[in-house]
Amino acid sequence: MINVAGRKIAVDMPHFIFATGVAGWVAWFCWDAWHASSSIENLILIVPVSAVAIILYFFVAASCFQRIAESAELPASPRHPLAPGVGVKIAGSMALLIALVVAGPLVGFDVACFFYMLAMLAFLGERRIPVLLLVPPLFCVVVIYCFNTLLSTPLPLFFGERG
Amino acid sequence: MIDFTALTAALHLLTSSWQPWMVVIPGILIGLLVHAVPGLTTSMALAICLPLIPYMDFLQALIFMTAMYAGSVFGVAIPAILLNVPGSAAAVGTTFDGFPMARAGKHNEALGLALAASCFGQLVVYLLLLGLAGPIGAFALKLGPPEMLVLSIWGLTLIGTLRGRHISRGLLAGAFGLLLGTVGLSARGVPRGTFGLDLLLDGIPVVPAIVGLFAAAELFNLVGKEYIVEDLTQRRVQASRILAGMRQAFEYPGVLFRGAILGSGIGIIPGGHAIANLLSYSSARRAAKDPEKFGTGDPRGIVAAESANASSEGGSMATLLALGIPTGGATAVMLVAFSMHNITGGPSFMRDHADMVYAVILSSLAQVAVLAVVGFAFIFVAGFVVKVRLRMLVPTVLSLAVIGSFALAHNIAGPITLAVFAVIGWIMQRFDYPVSATVVGLLLGRRTEGDLLRTYQMSGGHFNFMFTRPIALLMLFLLAASMLFPYLKSGRARSAANKKVMAH
């Protein structure tokens, strides 16, 4: 909550930051396109759509600020709260997905996938040892073999020929 | 319109030997299986099977490829419904209502609806082709950039209908998607929004981005849960409920027909296959008395998207057979198969091999019946996905999606796109932005820009140029009418209600 000229204003800060991030990217993209070439062939769609997006951003940003009466309580969050522990699980799942994408080309998708499957299974609550021992290697062998046999683009691998 | 001599010859070709029919079931199964894995596409499957083509006679090869095509047209709907994973752009519309139905425990009915709508769409388009293959192909030649621009605008109006609870957020999400779709090299050959990365010169890989926005983001939401369908009693896979879903599709004959006719028309245009499902979904939603139900698990959404998706396949075949022009990756691979038998598609093919053209159409009609049976058995097996624990399903689907996106983009841009858009998609959902509006924008961004630019260049900047394009004008009129109709209808209903109140 912020105070402006003695008025209490509730701010949905996470949403405001996200919307500003989107608007910032739109403005940067428009500038980058203009900078690359200011010809109509280059900007025929980008400039009008960017202008509309920026106007819409102001409406969205304004909705993040809500004036509240002096005596009133702070309004409840506009979003339904996550169940306890779920936020950590979602953040962990995102981090592991990013780790898989980063590690894949570095160590090979076979090894990265194996560790990703193992880590995700354990992280999401799988405690049966046979499952943890069997599923990741089996998955990696079958999937990587199929993809590498069928597709013309070889995956970067640790074992076998590297793409 | 029908050349009965050629038709009789085609019947003779198809009935004189059982060999051409041997490839139908394997073809359909390959098509269905391909889309069970995120990242594999119909054109990939067709390309993988190309080495088999020289060992088949021409008719057998054509039937094999059309069977694969038919299977894959329905196959994309299965992960779209069960996992919210649209294996290709053609299944985006199916996810809007398919996944909410699956989450509500109506996965059997949803899959049945999709199968029936898909079979119906294919049936309609091949019946149309039987009489009108030549004229349909010739009509495709009359469509230029202005007409394509109108189609793109038609697709973009969907953003307005997908805006969700907050109009400004919905439209901002759509504009964001449109701009994302134009990242990469422009028509002037200058890079835009690439951060100096060569990987982005071809633009943002669309399918990995869609899988990230839709599927990965949704899978993150499921992380704390045990199963996709929480109610144990609803988790069963039941043939009777799949059949009930198939029957239910025919409770919406208007939606089915509109989708099939729209898809047939749009399919003949290059790239039309990808947007037919969206246009049909948008039209069905606009025509509905209760459009607010769309997106929450409404069967009409699946029927509209799937019937158009399936019939657009036949439209693509019309352009391929009549003009020798591929309208997408899959038909381009088919053209390669033609050349393996020293045959060129196009008017000369229609003239010299009319019996073969009819044989393909007749066999495709027969394939619809085979697809209904094989597809039913396949979804009975695929439906068991809802019985797999999410802690097993989430890492499996995400790993497959990452590897598949590498295969699609041929480089690391695919997996990076998937991860980045997975996070963006989840945040957008959290702040109540309609992710589907971004996806529609992303799908149509580059296409709209290209069509707009070509129309501008053709017109020399003069707006009255559009008056020299009767088809574009007619399409614009239909678009305006379809947009205004719901408002006129509700206005009339309101005034009738007011009169009633006054009378009392």
Side-chain angles (χ1 to χ4, degrees), chain B residues 97 285 290-298 300:
Chain B
D97 285 286
R285 192 184 191 280
D290 45 2
E292 69 286 348
K293 283 192 179 165
F294 277 71
T296 60
D298 193 311
R300 292 170 296 178

Side-chain angles (χ1 to χ4, degrees), chain B residues 182-482:
Chain B
T182 58
V183 166
L185 276 184
S186 73
R188 293 279 295 185
V190 292
R192 305 164 305 184
T194 60
F195 298 103
L197 298 170
D198 291 347
L199 290 173
L200 287 176
L201 286 178
D202 285 339
I204 291 172
V206 174
V207 175
I210 294 174
V211 173
L213 281 167
F214 266 145
E218 193 58 49
L219 289 172
F220 290 146
N221 278 332
L222 294 174
V223 149
K225 301 185 172 66
E226 274 289 292
Y227 293 94
I228 291 177
V229 179
E230 293 187 47
D231 184 354
L232 176 68
T233 56
Q234 296 290 328
R235 226 175 277 151
R236 275 184 297 221
V237 181
Q238 287 174 299
S240 59
R241 287 174 62 190
I242 299 172
L243 279 172
M246 291 177 76
R247 272 196 302 273
Q248 194 184 0
F250 296 97
E251 287 172 19
Y252 313 108
V255 181
L256 266 175
F257 263 110
R258 190 172 37 237
I261 300 295
L262 255 177
S264 311
I266 296 163
I268 63 175
I269 301 163
H273 184 54
I275 60 164
N277 68 106
L278 293 176
L279 299 191
S280 173
Y281 183 90
S282 168
S283 302
R285 192 184 191 280
R286 260 200 295 269
K289 284 180 187 152
D290 45 2
E292 69 286 348
K293 283 192 179 165
F294 277 71
T296 60
D298 193 311
R300 292 170 296 178
I302 299 177
V303 170
E306 275 304 306
S307 58
N309 180 28
S311 57
S312 67
E313 174 226 355
S316 311
M317 287 296 293
T319 320
L320 179 76
L321 294 172
L323 303 173
I325 300 170
T327 56
T331 39
V333 181
M334 284 192 194
L335 210 54
V336 176
F338 274 42
S339 66
M340 284 178 158
H341 283 269
N342 292 323
I343 288 172
T344 317
S348 60
F349 178 67
M350 291 280 283
R351 190 182 56 240
D352 304 336
H353 299 277
D355 53 344
M356 205 61 87
V357 173
Y358 280 116
V360 169
I361 295 170
L362 290 175
S363 71
S364 297
L365 283 169
Q367 282 168 28
V368 174
V370 182
L371 175 64
V373 177
V374 177
F376 180 83
F378 190 83
I379 57 180
F380 189 76
V381 177
F384 281 91
V385 161
V386 296
K387 288 180 176 276
V388 180
R389 281 178 195 275
L390 280 167
R391 64 175 179 241
M392 194 74 78
L393 200 62
V394 170
T396 308
V397 174
L398 285 178
S399 322
L400 279 174
V402 167
I403 297 171
S405 58
F406 187 95
L408 272 176
H410 301 293
N411 55 44
I412 194 64
I416 292 174
T417 304
L418 184 131
V420 168
F421 280 89
V423 177
I424 292 175
W426 186 82
I427 297 173
M428 286 179 76
Q429 282 186 14
R430 190 84 188 119
F431 294 131
D432 218 358
Y433 286 80
V435 174
S436 38
T438 306
V439 168
V440 172
L442 186 61
L443 271 175
L444 296 177
R446 186 159 288 266
R447 180 195 173 98
T448 308
E449 187 187 38
D451 293 336
L452 186 60
L453 183 58
R454 281 187 287 275
T455 306
Y456 169 79
Q457 286 168 335
M458 279 174 77
S459 69
H462 301 294
F463 179 74
N464 56 7
F465 165 76
M466 286 303 268
F467 291 103
T468 64
R469 309 288 298 199
I471 298 175
L473 272 184
L474 178 69
M475 287 163 75
L476 267 177
F477 171 76
L478 289 174
L479 171 62
S482 75

Side-chain angles (χ1 to χ4, degrees), chain A residues 12 14-15 18-19 22 25-26 28-29 32-33 36-37 39-46 49-50 52-54 56-57 59-60 63 78-82 86 89-90 93-94 97-98 100-101 105 109 113 116-117 120-121 124-128 131 135 139 143-144 147 150-156, chain B residues 37-38 40 44 48 165 167-169 171-172 175-176 178-180 182-184 186-188 190-195 216 220-221 223-224 389-392 394-396 398-400 402-404 406-407 410-412 415-416 418-419 422-424 426-428 430-431 433 445 448-449 452-453 456-457:
Chain A
D12 183 359
H15 181 203
F18 174 71
V22 170
W25 179 84
V26 168
W28 171 80
F29 179 61
D32 191 53
S37 166
S39 66
I40 196 155
E41 287 88 345
N42 194 41
L43 303 173
I44 193 163
L45 185 75
I46 292 175
V49 175
S50 300
V52 170
I54 295 296
L56 288 166
Y57 161 72
F59 283 100
V60 173
S63 72
R79 290 171 290 285
H80 63 88
L82 294 170
V86 170
K89 280 193 171 172
I90 291 173
S93 302
M94 284 179 183
L97 178 67
I98 292 167
L100 168 65
V101 168
F109 274 101
C113 256
Y116 172 76
M117 285 293 289
M120 273 294 271
L121 283 169
L124 296 181
E126 183 58 66
R127 294 290 174 265
R128 291 170 293 176
V131 172
V135 172
F139 173 83
V143 171
I144 303 284
F147 265 86
L150 295 176
L151 301 176
S152 56
T153 313
L155 287 166
Chain B
V37 182
L40 288 187
M44 274 183 193
I48 288 164
R165 287 192 299 143
I167 294 173
S168 53
R169 290 182 208 185
L171 297 179
L172 179 59
F176 180 49
L178 263 176
L179 292 172
L180 285 169
T182 58
V183 166
S186 73
R188 293 279 295 185
V190 292
R192 305 164 305 184
T194 60
F195 298 103
F220 290 146
N221 278 332
V223 149
R389 281 178 195 275
L390 280 167
R391 64 175 179 241
M392 194 74 78
V394 170
T396 308
L398 285 178
S399 322
L400 279 174
V402 167
I403 297 171
F406 187 95
H410 301 293
N411 55 44
I412 194 64
I416 292 174
L418 184 131
V423 177
I424 292 175
W426 186 82
I427 297 173
M428 286 179 76
R430 190 84 188 119
F431 294 131
Y433 286 80
T448 308
E449 187 187 38
L452 186 60
L453 183 58
Y456 169 79
Q457 286 168 335

